[in-house]
Amino acid sequence: MLYTEHGNFGFGRKHKINDKVTHFLRKVYYNHFANKIACNSLFTFEMLRKQWKINSSKLVLVYNGSNIERKNNQSNINKIKYQFQNKFLIGTTSRLAPVKQIPRLVRVFKKFMLDKQFPNISLIIVGDGSDRINIEKEAGSFLNEHIF
């Protein structure tokens, strides 16, 4: 049995009783039922190994993402590098779901952009999901000019 852990450990909020029960059940599952646990980041891998005391022989590190240096993507890579040369970039790669609060990031970025001290700055959002329309609405006139 393979399980993929995305690192949803409930950081940044008070843990309720259901969080504690869920975490307990996940630990039981990981230790007694899962043969391998794919971790999407080194942080997740280390959390499971150190904090959750999961045997490292069960853990496999499989990064979410891809190798951007693939030869068949070189022309696209060059276009992107050219488009954003001499820019300060802020970015996120995420599932665009309401829980991720990407519209908040867009609102803060727009306020930051309006401070004319930072004209060469862009926000890049990579992902897709149910909140994409709300994010694009929040970006407004900044979309495709400073927010991509």
Side-chain angles (χ1 to χ4, degrees):
M1 181 72 65
L2 172 68
Y3 183 85
T4 303
E5 174 59 64
H6 292 273
N8 184 9
F9 300 112
F11 295 125
R13 62 181 167 84
K14 186 177 178 183
H15 284 217
K16 298 177 182 173
I17 189 72
N18 63 329
D19 292 314
K20 293 176 182 178
V21 169
T22 300
H23 285 187
F24 171 77
L25 291 174
R26 281 167 55 195
K27 286 180 189 180
V28 169
Y29 176 78
Y30 292 161
N31 282 310
H32 301 286
F33 298 98
N35 296 325
K36 290 290 182 184
I37 304 157
C39 303
N40 70 335
S41 68
L42 185 57
F43 174 80
T44 299
F45 184 98
E46 291 299 322
M47 276 294 294
L48 291 178
R49 189 177 69 79
K50 290 179 181 175
Q51 300 294 322
W52 287 40
K53 308 288 190 237
I54 306 299
N55 188 323
S56 59
S57 67
K58 287 190 168 203
L59 303 175
V60 179
L61 183 58
V62 181
Y63 286 106
N64 277 351
S66 62
N67 181 358
I68 194 166
E69 296 298 332
R70 289 187 202 156
K71 294 190 184 337
N72 60 348
N73 287 332
Q74 199 58 50
S75 65
N76 288 333
I77 293 166
N78 291 338
K79 287 177 192 174
I80 292 168
K81 284 181 178 179
Y82 179 78
Q83 179 178 0
F84 294 108
Q85 71 183 358
N86 303 320
K87 295 261 187 192
F88 183 82
L89 301 177
I90 297 174
T92 184
T93 302
S94 175
R95 176 175 47 94
L96 305 183
V99 69
K100 303 291 185 169
Q101 298 198 17
I102 304 299
R104 178 189 290 177
L105 172 64
V106 172
R107 281 192 298 281
V108 170
F109 177 81
K110 286 168 48 178
K111 287 180 183 178
F112 194 72
M113 260 308 297
L114 293 174
D115 183 351
K116 299 298 182 193
Q117 295 178 31
F118 305 100
N120 291 325
I121 190 168
S122 292
L123 173 63
I124 300 175
I125 302 168
V126 178
D128 201 4
S130 62
D131 213 24
R132 182 178 178 154
I133 292 168
N134 293 330
I135 295 166
E136 289 175 348
K137 284 179 187 175
E138 185 64 47
S141 64
F142 287 78
L143 190 61
N144 298 320
E145 186 174 334
H146 297 286
I147 300 174
F148 301 88

